[in-house]
Amino acid sequence: MTSGIPFERALLSLLDTDHDVGASRRALLIASLFAAVPLTMQAKTARADQINSAETTIILPDAIRWSDWNGGPPHSGQVATLYGALDRPVPYLVLMKWNSGYMSAPHSYATDRLSLVLSGTWWVNSGADFDPDNTVPVPAGGFVRRVARTPHYDGVKRDAKEPAVIALFGIAPVELQLVDPSRPSWRRV
């Protein structure tokens, strides 16, 4: 048995039947490792092509553009629209950041809304009567579905150590309706 590659010839000599069984096993193990060397030397370096932005959109955390909520008290929270819009008939994905000590007044939406708590604890309740002491805590990883045209309210209690960030998905237009439009849409708690 001859081969044109020098290290293959050396490996074949290690496998010669004149060696003891232990040496042959070691040689077989070494031979299998070295057998892969030519394949790895011939392989091309893997390279990722640039992502086609018409096919895949990526927004890294530092590039998310947060803005203050419309009509909210200063420092109550922020919103970032990642996809779609809240005022056109399209799907949307927005992030809402609730700062501690603020809750919404009871309100409803025209369409269902799916919510996933990304960080912090979000306090939620259903109904037309605002009662922050009876809200339910939803920690990071929790899911909340708001059924269309049902009153609810939510926010972050005053003693929270961090804001709550919630990812919201639905079909717009949202058409927020306050239960009592004569009262403020935000409450300090």
Side-chain angles (χ1 to χ4, degrees):
M1 240 188 260
T2 61
S3 173
I5 302 173
F7 75 85
E8 283 182 2
R9 269 186 258 132
L11 289 175
L12 288 173
S13 71
L14 287 173
L15 296 175
D16 189 4
T17 55
D18 291 340
H19 295 316
D20 67 9
V21 174
S24 293
R25 286 183 182 156
R26 280 190 298 280
L28 186 58
L29 189 64
I30 292 169
S32 64
L33 292 173
F34 279 110
V37 169
L39 296 175
T40 59
M41 292 176 73
Q42 292 173 359
K44 294 180 180 178
T45 303
R47 183 177 72 80
D49 289 333
Q50 290 294 321
I51 291 179
N52 181 340
S53 63
E55 298 172 0
T56 302
T57 301
I58 296 173
I59 303 172
L60 297 176
D62 291 344
I64 293 174
R65 294 187 348 208
W66 291 93
S67 60
D68 291 333
W69 287 339
N70 287 337
H75 312 294
S76 59
Q78 296 177 303
V79 65
T81 301
L82 299 179
Y83 180 80
L86 299 175
D87 58 351
R88 295 189 320 253
V90 295
Y92 64 85
L93 176 61
V94 298
L95 297 179
M96 293 184 79
K97 185 184 298 182
W98 282 93
N99 290 325
S100 61
Y102 292 96
M103 297 191 106
S104 62
H107 62 281
S108 65
Y109 302 115
T111 58
D112 284 8
R113 178 177 270 191
L114 307 177
S115 310
L116 181 63
V117 180
L118 302 178
S119 64
T121 300
W122 191 35
W123 294 81
V124 303
N125 203 344
S126 297
D129 297 323
F130 184 71
D131 185 3
D133 292 333
N134 282 316
T135 54
V136 175
V138 182
F143 171 79
V144 176
R145 175 181 171 225
R146 297 297 198 182
V147 176
R149 307 226 185 268
T150 60
H152 60 273
Y153 52 97
D154 40 57
V156 176
K157 292 193 174 185
R158 181 184 320 246
D159 59 349
K161 305 257 186 284
E162 64 179 326
V165 177
I166 296 87
L168 305 167
F169 173 79
I171 305 295
V174 172
E175 297 177 10
L176 182 135
Q177 296 289 317
L178 290 172
V179 169
D180 184 355
S182 67
R183 306 218 29 216
S185 59
W186 297 88
R187 308 285 169 87
R188 183 88 169 123
V189 292

